[in-house]
Amino acid sequence: PQAGPQPWGQPQPGQPQPGQPWAQPPAGPQQPKSKKPLILGLGALALVVILGIIGVLVVTSLGSKTLDAAAAEAGVAKVLTQSYGATEVGDVSCPDGQKVEPGNSFDCTVTVDGQHRSVTLTFTDDQGTYEVSRPN
C-alpha cells in the first residue's frame, strides 16, 4: 500500500521535524593539511627580504653603482646558511667594483662545510639586489 499525500503542514517522511536541524552527512576521516606549501612560501619570502636587505647594503652611497665586496661577502654567507642550509661558511671572496646592473653576474669563492666552492651572484635590478646560486 502506498501512502497518500500527507496533510498540509505535516512533514514528509525523511524530512526533519519542525525545529530540528537538517541532518549532516557523517564526516569521513580528514587528512591533515600539509604545511609544506606554507613553509616553502615563508622561506621564499625570507629569501626575498634577505636579498632586498643585501641589495641596500651593496650599493655605495657615493652615487656610483658598484658592488661593495665586503657587504656582498657577508650577504653570501648569510644566504648560504639561512636559505641553503649550510652549517659552516667561511672564506667568502667576491671581486670588488662589479657594475650593478640587471643581469650582470660574477663568481665568488667560498668554503662551505669544509669544501672549497663557488657561487654565482646575479644582479636582478639596478638597485643592488642580487641572487646567490647554490654552491658548486
Side-chain angles (χ1 to χ4, degrees):
Q2 283 191 337
Q6 296 291 323
W8 180 258
Q10 295 295 321
Q12 298 292 320
Q15 297 293 317
Q17 300 294 321
Q20 296 293 320
W22 285 89
Q24 297 293 322
Q30 293 185 359
Q31 297 295 325
K33 291 187 177 183
S34 172
K35 294 185 180 183
K36 192 172 187 177
L38 176 62
I39 292 170
L40 291 175
L42 291 175
L45 178 62
L47 180 60
V48 169
V49 170
I50 290 169
L51 293 177
I53 292 169
I54 293 169
V56 171
L57 296 174
V58 171
V59 179
T60 63
S61 61
L62 300 174
S64 64
K65 300 272 185 163
T66 58
L67 176 72
D68 175 358
E73 291 162 358
V76 166
K78 190 171 188 176
V79 168
L80 292 177
T81 55
Q82 292 183 354
S83 298
Y84 292 123
T87 56
E88 185 182 318
V89 177
D91 300 325
V92 182
S93 178
C94 297
D96 203 7
Q98 295 294 313
K99 289 182 78 173
V100 176
E101 57 188 25
N104 185 27
S105 63
F106 54 92
D107 292 332
C108 297
T109 58
V110 60
T111 302
V112 178
D113 298 330
Q115 297 183 348
H116 295 286
R117 304 283 186 179
S118 68
V119 294
T120 301
L121 271 65
T122 304
F123 288 109
T124 59
D125 62 25
D126 61 356
Q127 301 301 308
T129 305
Y130 58 83
E131 297 175 336
V132 178
S133 72
R134 286 191 170 278
N136 55 29

